[in-house]
Amino acid sequence: MDSDIVNLLIGTYASDGAEPGSGEGIWRVTLDRRSGALSGDHLITTTTAPSFLALHPSGNMLYAVQETEQGQVSAFSVQGENLLLQATVPTGGSFPCHLLAFNDALWVANYGDGVVSRLDLNDDGEPTGMPAVYRNSGSGPNSERQEGPHAHFVHDTGNGSVWVSDLGTDEIRRFTVSGPDGLAAVLPPATGPRHQAALPGGAVVVVGELDSRLHVLASDGSGSILSSVAALATPVPSGQPSQPSHIDVGVSPATRNLLYAATRGPDVLAVFAVEDGQTLRHLSDTPIGGAWPRHFAVVPTSDDRADFIVAANQYSSTLDVLRVDGVGHVEQVYSLALPVPACVIPAD
């Protein structure tokens, strides 16, 4: 990133008591990479439950889920500071919650029924035709959360396939452009796999929303679990929720061997050192500044000596910024009120 100012796009939910589509939408906020300050927040378009966003690789098209029972995804062309709606199409599943965009295809994880869908894109990045729909079956031992499949995240392996976390069946499902391609891994019962991140050495970390652990998987799809650690060291009182949400790796030269994990309930950011490409060593737990961190973006500081973590804290309706240096020291630097944020992505 060459500029000291980075634009962020924020997807949101409806406020408590409001019907979906009654005002939530996509916001634009600017981050100062020197100080971590946020400013310029404004609602750029209204759309129903855009709880996850993804940019086309060209940067010219933005995709937003509509996390509703009859799942849809909207495509907006990026026109400077504005978004222009180009199409809204069905996903073929219910309650879509994650997107992964390639030049020619958009993958969608539909949480409600576990459907994984793929939408073909034309040269402009607009969806064409009906989605390819891939269903799953099965369940897990957690009767409240694993009564059936729940696709939650689509991970780009970099080799032409994608891995999809299924929280309901404790599986990492593999897909190619031709469709399902078996299982990349089966996690321990009641793991509840959620988000994934690739480590610098190629291994893949998957966070368990239900077991509150980080599992490191071999990148060859053999299903091997190389190591596993608790998602945070902070004790959680009995009966209180502890639900890890998003994980990601450091992006500045000083932090590329760090892994970040946000956990809802305790509302902390945990930092881990990545050793030997596959082992995670806990460094710190720090309050994330708000309540119920659903997602975060990682942006390098202007001097490339640290990262800013911009957390979408859903229940406190705040964006909170933390600075993490190369040894895993964390400090809170800024907070901005914004209604019910769910997703934050850099737009530059």
Side-chain angles (χ1 to χ4, degrees), residues 154-172:
V154 187
H155 171 69
D156 179 10
T157 66
N159 63 9
S161 66
V162 299
W163 290 7
V164 178
S165 302
D166 195 312
L167 182 145
T169 63
D170 294 317
E171 297 169 330
I172 305 297

Side-chain angles (χ1 to χ4, degrees), residues 16-346:
D16 288 346
E19 291 295 324
S22 61
E24 78 274 25
I26 302 170
W27 293 67
R28 186 184 297 274
V29 176
T30 59
L31 170 71
D32 189 322
R33 295 175 57 223
R34 297 160 297 190
S35 66
L38 300 172
S39 62
D41 50 300
H42 64 285
L43 180 65
I44 52 177
T45 190
T46 56
T47 182
T48 302
S51 63
F52 201 86
L53 312 174
L55 276 171
H56 187 269
S58 69
N60 295 326
M61 195 73 67
L62 178 75
Y63 308 101
V65 302
Q66 292 191 13
E67 192 177 329
T68 57
E69 186 168 1
Q70 301 297 322
Q72 298 187 100
V73 62
S74 294
F76 300 87
S77 61
V78 180
Q79 306 284 337
E81 295 289 310
N82 301 310
L83 297 175
L84 181 62
L85 179 64
Q86 299 298 319
T88 296
V89 297
T91 66
S94 66
F95 297 101
C97 65
H98 191 259
L99 301 168
L100 178 64
F102 292 96
N103 282 317
D104 58 355
L106 180 69
W107 290 86
V108 187
N110 294 275
Y111 180 85
D113 52 12
V115 162
V116 176
S117 49
R118 192 194 76 249
L119 289 157
D120 291 331
L121 305 176
N122 65 20
D123 291 342
D124 294 323
E126 297 175 5
T128 62
M130 296 300 292
V133 174
Y134 307 115
R135 301 188 181 277
N136 194 20
S137 61
S139 59
N142 186 319
S143 59
E144 293 184 359
R145 298 292 310 280
Q146 296 185 305
E147 79 295 343
H150 293 299
H152 215 319
F153 187 89
V154 187
H155 171 69
D156 179 10
T157 66
N159 63 9
S161 66
V162 299
W163 290 7
V164 178
S165 302
D166 195 312
L167 182 145
T169 63
D170 294 317
E171 297 169 330
I172 305 297
R173 303 166 62 195
R174 183 172 49 230
F175 296 82
T176 68
V177 67
S178 300
D181 189 34
L183 297 178
V186 177
L187 281 300
T191 292
R194 187 179 168 101
H195 287 196
Q196 302 177 45
L199 297 179
V204 176
V205 182
V206 58
V207 63
E209 181 173 331
L210 303 183
D211 71 355
S212 197
R213 297 186 67 81
L214 300 170
H215 304 274
V216 182
L217 308 179
S219 60
D220 60 6
S222 64
S224 300
I225 299 177
L226 303 177
S227 63
S228 178
V229 298
L232 71 166
T234 301
V236 179
S238 177
Q240 296 299 308
S242 179
Q243 298 181 15
S245 53
H246 189 53
I247 57 175
D248 212 339
V249 295
V251 296
S252 77
T255 63
R256 286 177 182 161
N257 285 314
L258 298 181
L259 177 81
Y260 309 125
T263 298
R264 298 166 295 177
D267 298 332
V268 301
L269 180 78
V271 182
F272 297 83
V274 182
E275 299 176 336
D276 302 323
Q278 63 184 47
T279 301
L280 303 177
R281 178 170 57 88
H282 180 268
L283 297 177
S284 62
D285 288 340
T286 303
I288 206 160
W292 213 251
R294 189 172 183 87
H295 189 254
F296 60 80
V298 185
V299 179
T301 59
S302 59
D303 61 7
D304 284 332
R305 295 182 178 179
D307 290 332
F308 287 123
I309 308 297
V310 184
N313 285 313
Q314 180 182 349
Y315 288 177
S316 58
S317 284
T318 55
L319 293 179
D320 292 278
V321 184
L322 297 85
R323 183 184 186 275
V324 188
D325 66 19
V327 297
H329 174 74
V330 183
E331 61 176 330
Q332 300 177 34
V333 297
Y334 203 83
S335 184
L336 176 73
L338 191 141
V340 203
C343 172
V344 50
I345 62 170

